[in-house]
Amino acid sequence: MRLLLALCALFLAPFASAQPRHGGVFAFAGSGGDCQGLYATTRQVLAYAQPLAVGNPVRRVEAGRRIGPSDVAEELNVVIRPGRFVARRNVTFDEWSFYDRDRQGSGPLQIPRGMSIEVFGQDLWRMNGVVYQTLWAIPATRAGVDADVRRDFTTESFPQVEHWLRLAARGGQPAAWLNASGPGVRRTGDAPNTGEGC
């Protein structure tokens, strides 16, 4: 039995390490947009081994610290609570993809009238347990709701998302995850040359 458990652990280890353990219902990589952000701490903040503020912190980040692209090894958006939209009519997407890049889709994708979807991020959502990406119509914030969205959906809630930065190991300090959307950290702008429109 021990041998079987050891073999299972070896087989599953690569899949478990593909994404760090987090405290949300879903997580997706990246800055959450085209532009990589610049950040600064307003007070001393703690950073952790995983993008999850539990346990002992592995690093303290001093007050007044500027954090730019060269400080960040990875970014992760952790969805604590998804938003909820309900289709007011049949909504069809011609341009869409599965979030799982190993799956291929073709033809129009339809959200039937009355169907509830979970919104994770801008144009990133789940229906019937499957995560999709579309090019328009699914905003992640109230500011993105326009007349077309109001025509297609009843917006019941928006997602609650934490944006985590994995600070690179540097100067004797270990690599650690910092909650950039938490208290003591503020976004100060966009890094130049990190995306269209930045």
Side-chain angles (χ1 to χ4, degrees), residues 23-48:
V25 296
F26 187 80
F28 56 99
S31 61
D34 291 333
C35 303
Q36 188 172 12
L38 300 172
Y39 298 87
T41 57
T42 58
R43 62 178 173 87
Q44 184 183 67
V45 291
L46 304 176
Y48 297 85

Side-chain angles (χ1 to χ4, degrees), residues 22-185:
H22 57 78
V25 296
F26 187 80
F28 56 99
S31 61
D34 291 333
C35 303
Q36 188 172 12
L38 300 172
Y39 298 87
T41 57
T42 58
R43 62 178 173 87
Q44 184 183 67
V45 291
L46 304 176
Y48 297 85
Q50 299 287 334
L52 183 65
V54 296
N56 294 326
V58 297
R59 185 170 169 179
R60 295 181 187 280
V61 181
E62 67 276 4
R65 165 85 188 279
R66 293 181 184 185
I67 301 167
S70 64
D71 299 310
V72 178
E74 187 178 353
E75 296 183 59
L76 190 69
N77 297 285
V78 177
V79 181
I80 303 302
R81 182 184 41 86
R84 186 166 187 257
F85 284 24
V86 179
R88 298 172 65 113
R89 61 191 192 117
N90 292 339
V91 180
T92 303
F93 294 98
D94 292 322
E95 297 183 52
W96 63 276
S97 63
F98 290 108
Y99 180 73
D100 177 357
R101 297 293 180 211
D102 293 335
R103 294 182 70 177
Q104 298 296 316
S106 63
L109 171 67
Q110 187 174 88
I111 302 173
R113 179 179 182 211
M115 175 65 74
S116 175
I117 64 170
E118 296 174 290
V119 178
F120 295 144
Q122 188 69 30
D123 301 321
L124 182 64
W125 49 278
R126 180 167 59 191
M127 178 174 65
N128 293 330
V130 179
V131 181
Y132 299 93
Q133 288 185 298
T134 50
L135 296 179
W136 57 274
I138 310 290
T141 64
R142 188 170 309 285
V145 175
D146 60 14
D148 289 335
V149 173
R150 285 190 294 277
R151 184 188 70 229
D152 291 341
F153 296 100
T154 299
T155 306
E156 295 189 351
S157 63
F158 292 97
Q160 177 189 350
V161 180
E162 293 178 344
H163 185 69
W164 288 80
L165 308 173
R166 186 167 186 264
L167 302 177
R170 187 169 290 144
Q173 295 285 330
W177 287 95
L178 174 70
N179 185 351
S181 51
V185 182

